Amino acid sequence: MKRLTVILLFFCCASFMAYAQNDIQIVKERIYKEVMKPEVDDAQIETLLQTLKDDGTWPGIDYSNVSREGFEHRLHTSYLVSLARAYKNKSSEYYKKKKVKTAIELGLKNWVEHDYFCENWWHNQIGTPNYLVTLMLILGDELDKELVNKTQPIIGRAHINAGGARPGGDRIKIAGIQAKNCLFLGDDVKFDEVVRVIENEIKYVEWIGAKYGYGFRKIVGGFENRSYEGRGIQFDNSFHHRTDGVNNTLSYGLSYAAAFAEWAVYTTGTKFSFSEEKLDQLIDYFLDGICKTSVFGKVPDVGAKNRSISREGAVNPYDDVLPAKLISVSDYRHIELQEIIDVRNNKAKPTLAHATFYWDSEHFSFQRPDWFASVRMYSTRNYNMEQPYNSEGFLNHHRGDGTNHISVSADEYKGLAPVMDYQKIPGTTVMQKEEIPGANELQKLGLTDFVGAATDGKYGAVAFDFKSPHDPLIARKAWFFFDKEYVCLGTGISCSNTELPVVTTLNQCILRGDVIVASRGKSSVIEKGETEYENVDWIYHDKLAYVFPEPTTVQLKNNAAKGSWYRINRQTDSPKDEIERDVFELYLDHGKRPSEANYQYILVPATNPEEVQNNTSKNNITILQNSPAVQAVWQKELQMCQAVFYSEGTLEVNDDITVECGNPGVLIAKTDGTKITEITVSDPARKNAKMLVSIPGKVNAKAENLTVLWNEGTGMSDLLIDLPTGNYAGSSVTIKL
């Protein structure tokens, strides 16, 4: 009996090992299939073979430049992978050709002998190891063993405890490289450990800026102390790569999601599969973070881009690869994922309407099926912009100053970056300097607390108590979003500099089609040039109207602008050729040393000149107040009031409705015309646990986060609303009345 038990245990263990080994083989085959997907260009392979030098180098690569801006060595390792694909691809004329394998070994020998090391850690711990492990997975078993062994220390720089393996985006990439190397080496135990690390990187993290402010920088370890976390998916579904609070959703956060989805596909159906909980969380982040920060879920929002805006192709549309991977491994939110896939493949138009505020990143996005807009801000809780690492995006000083981009066709800003005036960013109020300060003066911590938005998920009001960290300039800026238009208000605009003018830019985008200017009831198509127009009622360009409630003097430019990619990106391969683009630029000049200046305008997207002429949006909007104390508007068609209270105060909405706010905050009030039926509030400063709002009439509403007190003497109901706290401080709460 004892012997039988031993035999049974032996067979069980053998079966389990066979099962585990089978799973390993499945994953390895899936990865091999993926790395072999790129098509082989036989003409390129012939060129690589003919130009390879006897020392294993290729002409055109500066092997002496290992700087952050250079390191063309990445081409060398990519060439090795291309040659390996040709050698293993049966459809290539170079399949199994000895001269290809000889060339690979010669090029690899050069690399391991020199061990080219870049000043940018990324190449050392991600770029180079990724190319080399890919080479090993394709051809490593057939290469010279001594040569293969010499690659291991180089590939081994990608490991889960490496310096670059910070929680969040880069850790998953580095762990993925290590996992692939484990498969190549046959280290099943380590592979399982690394895959679990990848899975557990999908999590919400507490934003340290919200909890500690920036006092944490005075704590021992400060920026480098990883125990403070803060890197990764935020509780608002934005993404922080570093501890500066900058929104990295469409850069590191995108590659983070892609890396996780890649491994979810590799491991699905095996014992290494990720849990439903982790997959659901990733899909939530993709749909509510990445897609809602993108125009129609398809094109990156220019306003959410950082230094990558200075790279060619930075605002190209996304493909369907990532959502297709997600839908292949989970049924969660299947319909929404399928719509994103169809939209990205131009098989369907978007149906999504949302208003989303990312309170951890101070970013707001708004979408209707026909248009998209966003507002980018910063506060004492985060920095204005990503550092210009590797000499990229070093003119981005003002790209967080209340930036307001708007899209109808989704390509209004494509190709603009190299010729752009970086002191006239859409939505911003900026003192016009003779030149922008140096790159070391780009990233700045915000100087005010009152920065945020209120949203019920469909409509939104945004507030920015702006104090420039670059200029002696202050302003209070607000945006109010409705279905067919949104309102932009600025007030208290003051600057102590007596020599330089201050301007508010309504838009700067690629010029397409006619520009129509309407003044004193008459409209006309204008000629190309740069002109000041007085008493302007509205301006129309490229399906977008700029409507002024009161006749306004504007500065308008619609002609050519020149620049180059090298002007904004000093990478060695950045094109230096001069580029010329026709640009539309519209701004308001507040003059030198403005004091308490203001502006007001309405943006009407997805429209035409005939509709604008009818004044529909203008007639629907009433600006109730635009002062340093209160900024508020009324939308007649929706019977909705949106307001920003910078201090406690009273707002008369109409003859029947008056709103008293007992503390600073942002408010959206839906009404039936005579009484408020629903109210949404938030505290941008995140200082109060409750918000006091008093409204006319006796309110009988009951809610867990609401206390109602009837004041018979005033005929008002005092609503004491519990505000979100902790990781949700700065988000909104909606009460139905």
Side-chain angles (χ1 to χ4, degrees):
M1 185 68 182
K2 188 175 181 180
R3 184 181 178 191
L4 179 61
T5 302
V6 171
I7 293 172
L8 287 172
L9 284 172
F10 172 79
F11 278 111
C12 286
C13 290
S15 297
F16 177 78
M17 290 174 66
Y19 170 73
Q21 191 61 40
N22 186 51
D23 279 352
I24 285 282
Q25 192 58 36
I26 289 172
V27 175
K28 192 171 182 179
E29 287 173 0
R30 287 171 177 171
I31 293 174
Y32 180 80
K33 184 177 179 181
E34 186 68 22
V35 298
M36 287 295 291
K37 267 187 179 179
E39 292 184 8
V40 175
D41 182 350
D42 281 344
Q44 181 206 26
I45 300 303
E46 179 63 26
T47 300
L48 292 177
L49 293 172
Q50 289 183 0
T51 56
L52 181 64
K53 298 179 181 178
D54 292 340
D55 64 353
T57 64
W58 274 281
I61 296 177
D62 183 357
Y63 287 89
S64 65
N65 186 352
V66 294
S67 69
R68 301 177 72 90
E69 294 80 13
F71 206 68
E72 296 168 352
H73 309 66
R74 62 189 182 278
L75 298 174
H76 183 111
T77 45
S78 72
Y79 292 162
L80 295 178
V81 172
S82 295
L83 288 167
R85 286 197 184 104
Y87 183 80
K88 298 287 282 189
N89 192 319
K90 292 181 180 180
S91 65
S92 171
E93 64 179 87
Y94 296 97
Y95 175 66
K96 291 290 185 178
K97 291 290 178 67
K98 184 178 179 180
K99 62 179 179 180
V100 177
K101 182 181 171 184
T102 301
I104 293 170
E105 291 184 331
L106 183 60
L108 185 58
K109 182 173 182 290
N110 176 275
W111 192 279
V112 298
E113 286 179 352
H114 291 84
D115 191 10
Y116 300 107
F117 209 76
C118 184
E119 292 174 5
N120 182 356
W121 71 268
W122 186 93
H123 289 287
N124 307 323
Q125 294 180 27
I126 296 180
T128 297
N130 187 50
Y131 276 126
L132 292 182
V133 80
T134 301
L135 177 64
M136 293 301 110
L137 288 169
I138 296 174
L139 195 61
D141 292 339
E142 299 183 40
L143 296 176
D144 178 80
K145 298 305 177 188
E146 183 180 353
L147 196 56
V148 168
N149 290 335
K150 288 181 178 179
T151 66
Q152 279 304 305
I154 302 174
I155 297 173
R157 289 175 185 143
H159 61 88
I160 54 178
N161 295 313
R166 297 166 289 191
D170 287 335
R171 196 171 197 205
I172 289 184
K173 294 179 197 171
I174 290 174
I177 295 168
Q178 185 177 9
K180 290 175 182 177
N181 199 38
C182 289
L183 289 175
F184 172 68
L185 296 174
D187 190 343
D188 300 353
V189 174
K190 189 65 177 179
F191 174 78
D192 184 58
E193 177 189 334
V194 175
V195 167
R196 296 283 77 86
V197 168
I198 295 172
E199 178 183 17
N200 290 323
E201 277 301 299
I202 295 294
K203 59 188 176 183
Y204 290 112
V205 295
E206 183 177 39
W207 167 224
I208 53 176
K211 185 172 182 179
Y212 299 105
Y214 270 78
F216 82 93
R217 287 187 172 272
K218 299 176 184 177
I219 297 171
V220 176
F223 181 86
E224 297 301 328
N225 192 328
R226 297 185 186 184
S227 66
Y228 292 117
E229 287 286 332
R231 306 169 189 262
I233 302 176
Q234 304 301 298
F235 279 82
D236 61 3
N237 277 311
S238 65
F239 190 92
H240 291 175
H241 178 64
R242 301 182 180 87
T243 53
D244 52 13
V246 172
N247 188 358
N248 292 123
T249 303
L250 298 186
S251 51
Y252 294 98
L254 183 61
S255 57
Y256 164 95
F260 187 91
E262 176 188 15
W263 281 98
V265 171
Y266 289 156
T267 60
T268 188
T270 73
K271 79 183 191 78
F272 306 107
S273 297
F274 297 154
S275 68
E276 284 188 18
E277 177 190 0
K278 295 297 185 181
L279 290 172
D280 291 355
Q281 197 169 337
L282 179 70
I283 290 169
D284 284 340
Y285 168 63
F286 174 72
L287 290 172
D288 298 331
I290 293 171
C291 291
K292 288 184 178 178
T293 311
S294 305
V295 183
F296 309 136
K298 178 180 180 178
V299 177
D301 171 18
V302 178
K305 284 288 195 176
N306 300 302
R307 61 191 167 101
S308 65
I309 197 69
S310 64
R311 302 172 191 163
E312 289 187 276
V315 292
N316 285 347
Y318 296 128
D319 58 32
D320 70 341
V321 173
L322 178 50
K325 286 181 178 179
L326 294 175
I327 209 170
S328 73
V329 297
S330 173
D331 292 329
Y332 181 62
R333 300 181 71 174
H334 181 98
I335 294 174
E336 294 165 86
L337 285 171
Q338 189 60 56
E339 177 171 320
I340 291 296
I341 291 171
D342 292 341
V343 167
R344 291 186 176 187
N345 286 323
N346 298 317
K347 292 180 179 179
K349 291 185 177 181
T351 63
L352 186 64
H354 72 85
T356 304
F357 179 57
Y358 300 99
W359 60 88
D360 284 323
S361 300
E362 316 285 20
H363 194 88
F364 176 87
S365 64
F366 187 87
Q367 182 175 303
R368 291 298 181 263
D370 293 327
W371 59 282
F372 175 95
S374 67
V375 179
R376 179 171 182 158
M377 306 171 289
Y378 53 96
S379 68
T380 52
R381 298 172 290 272
N382 50 16
Y383 279 82
N384 62 330
M385 179 57 58
E386 181 184 47
Q387 285 275 22
Y389 298 106
N390 309 323
S391 299
E392 295 178 303
F394 45 79
L395 298 181
N396 285 347
H397 298 62
H398 298 289
R399 289 195 54 248
D401 293 1
T403 308
N404 175 211
H405 286 89
I406 180 166
S407 291
V408 177
S409 60
D411 61 356
E412 288 86 350
Y413 305 101
K414 187 175 182 179
L416 179 67
V419 303
M420 190 172 201
D421 182 342
Y422 282 84
Q423 293 193 93
K424 292 187 176 70
I425 309 295
T428 62
T429 300
V430 177
M431 186 183 78
Q432 303 296 292
K433 299 165 282 296
E434 292 183 9
E435 61 181 37
I436 292 180
N440 61 334
E441 290 294 315
L442 193 159
Q443 189 179 66
K444 299 285 186 180
L445 181 62
L447 301 174
T448 59
D449 294 324
F450 196 88
V451 180
T455 172
D456 62 358
K458 189 174 181 181
Y459 302 100
V462 185
F464 191 12
D465 184 12
F466 175 60
K467 184 175 183 180
S468 174
H470 295 292
D471 306 321
L473 170 68
I474 59 173
R476 284 183 167 167
K477 301 166 71 70
W479 298 260
F480 306 97
F481 289 84
F482 306 103
D483 288 317
K484 299 175 183 176
E485 69 280 301
Y486 66 97
V487 184
C488 307
L489 299 182
T491 187
I493 302 169
S494 303
C495 182
S496 60
N497 189 295
T498 59
E499 302 299 322
L500 300 173
V502 173
V503 310
T504 294
T505 302
L506 282 65
N507 207 353
Q508 183 183 179
C509 60
I510 295 297
L511 177 67
R512 288 191 299 210
D514 292 335
V515 177
I516 301 173
V517 176
S519 176
R520 302 181 190 276
K522 295 182 179 180
S523 62
S524 59
V525 175
I526 64 167
E527 306 232 344
K528 285 188 176 182
E530 190 168 357
T531 312
E532 178 179 276
Y533 293 90
E534 298 179 347
N535 297 307
V536 174
D537 298 319
W538 54 265
I539 290 173
Y540 175 87
H541 168 250
D542 194 23
K543 301 177 184 177
L544 179 61
Y546 308 81
V547 178
F548 301 96
E550 301 292 338
T552 302
T553 298
V554 304
Q555 313 296 318
L556 195 154
K557 174 181 177 180
N558 61 323
N559 58 13
K562 297 179 180 180
S564 71
W565 288 104
Y566 192 73
R567 167 182 172 246
I568 55 176
N569 186 331
R570 295 293 166 82
Q571 293 285 296
T572 56
D573 58 354
S574 188
K576 296 181 175 65
D577 297 340
E578 186 175 70
I579 294 172
E580 184 174 298
R581 299 269 192 276
D582 282 345
V583 172
F584 172 84
E585 191 176 279
L586 180 64
Y587 61 96
L588 308 174
D589 188 347
H590 304 296
K592 299 176 182 178
R593 199 174 187 175
S595 178
E596 300 295 322
N598 60 67
Y599 63 79
Q600 52 187 27
Y601 57 92
I602 305 167
L603 276 166
V604 187
T607 189
N608 57 60
E610 291 72 28
E611 289 180 350
V612 184
Q613 190 73 51
N614 291 333
N615 279 332
T616 303
S617 290
K618 188 173 181 179
N619 292 336
N620 267 328
I621 296 294
T622 300
I623 296 174
L624 301 173
Q625 202 165 326
N626 185 23
S627 73
V630 180
Q631 292 175 296
V633 300
W634 169 258
Q635 214 284 356
K636 183 173 68 174
E637 190 173 70
L638 295 172
Q639 297 285 283
M640 182 187 297
C641 171
Q642 296 187 11
V644 176
F645 290 86
Y646 292 96
S647 59
E648 61 177 286
T650 301
L651 175 68
E652 185 177 323
V653 179
N654 57 34
D655 292 340
D656 298 304
I657 301 175
T658 299
V659 177
E660 295 180 2
C661 210
N663 45 310
V666 183
L667 175 147
I668 300 173
K670 295 180 181 178
T671 81
D672 63 5
T674 60
K675 64 178 182 295
I676 295 175
T677 58
E678 183 178 296
I679 191 166
T680 299
V681 296
S682 74
D683 174 20
R686 299 127 199 246
K687 293 179 178 178
N688 298 304
K690 298 178 183 292
M691 187 163 177
L692 175 61
V693 180
S694 300
I695 62 175
K698 194 169 186 177
V699 173
N700 295 314
K702 293 182 180 180
E704 186 178 338
N705 51 1
L706 173 68
T707 301
V708 181
L709 299 174
W710 167 242
N711 189 327
E712 192 170 355
T714 62
M716 305 275 282
S717 289
D718 297 332
L719 312 180
L720 198 59
I721 303 170
D722 295 338
L723 293 168
T725 58
N727 291 314
Y728 296 90
S731 63
S732 303
V733 58
T734 297
I735 304 291
K736 292 186 181 296
L737 304 177

